[in-house]
Amino acid sequence: MKSVRDIMTTDVACCTSDDTLYEAAVKMKERNVGSIPVCDNQQNLLGMVTDRDLVIRGYAGKHAGSTAIKKVMSDHMVSVTPETSVTEAGDLMADKQIRRLPIVEGGKLVGIVSLGDLSLDQKSNEAAGHALEEISERPELH
């Protein structure tokens, strides 16, 4: 069975909790992504900030672009290890209603798996479809 190590993205841009909303938005634009992991200087995963966090908790919450990410980031993280199967990762993403799953080894961020990563892999395509179906059917969670 394939593990997430086989399909995860390893070139992941991170923010620190003291980076600003503006800096996170610029990184998202440069990388063409909708979320950025938040890590300390040793790459320990602290949280995640999404484009939605920037808009809803940040700007719509009347926070300036100079506001620290720690004010708007999600810090209740769900993550898996690189050895987690792609099927298990897809099931977890569906259950927790998340589109991006950080991959952590020894507390340190080593990669990320998105629904897109799952759908590109033939064996995990069913898991991606299931996850997307579950996420799409529960709009009250978004």
Side-chain angles (χ1 to χ4, degrees), residues 3 5 11 18 20-22 30 32 54 56-57 67 81-82 92 96 102-103 107 109 115 119-120 123-125:
S3 70
R5 182 184 304 277
D11 181 25
D18 291 325
T20 66
L21 302 184
Y22 174 77
E30 290 172 350
N32 193 30
L54 294 178
I56 303 298
R57 295 180 189 167
T67 302
T81 67
L92 181 63
K96 299 296 183 182
I103 312 303
L109 181 71
L115 283 178
S119 68
L120 290 174
K123 290 188 176 187
S124 61
N125 196 28

Side-chain angles (χ1 to χ4, degrees), residues 3-5 7-9 35 48 50 76-81 84-103 111-121 124-138 141-142:
S3 70
V4 294
R5 182 184 304 277
I7 64 167
M8 70 184 188
T9 300
S35 68
M48 185 81 82
T50 67
H76 299 292
M77 294 306 305
V78 175
S79 63
V80 297
T81 67
T84 303
S85 75
V86 293
T87 302
E88 186 181 344
D91 289 345
L92 181 63
M93 292 168 81
D95 183 55
K96 299 296 183 182
Q97 302 288 293
I98 54 176
R99 296 174 186 266
R100 295 162 201 93
L101 184 62
I103 312 303
I112 196 161
V113 169
S114 70
L115 283 178
D117 296 328
L118 288 177
S119 68
L120 290 174
D121 181 73
S124 61
N125 196 28
E126 185 178 319
H130 173 70
L132 183 57
E133 181 180 300
E134 289 294 314
I135 291 169
S136 298
E137 286 183 359
R138 297 178 57 192
L141 294 178
H142 304 286

Side-chain angles (χ1 to χ4, degrees), residues 21-79:
L21 302 184
Y22 174 77
E23 291 167 328
V26 168
K27 280 186 183 181
M28 287 179 192
K29 180 181 178 187
E30 290 172 350
R31 293 289 187 117
N32 193 30
V33 296
S35 68
I36 301 271
V38 180
C39 297
D40 64 16
N41 293 332
Q42 289 77 41
Q43 287 300 104
N44 292 302
L45 183 65
L46 304 175
M48 185 81 82
V49 65
T50 67
D51 47 7
R52 183 172 170 85
D53 292 332
L54 294 178
V55 172
I56 303 298
R57 295 180 189 167
Y59 300 118
K62 298 185 180 181
H63 292 287
S66 60
T67 302
I69 289 297
K70 61 185 160 203
K71 297 272 189 182
V72 301
M73 72 181 198
S74 299
D75 57 2
H76 299 292
M77 294 306 305
V78 175
S79 63

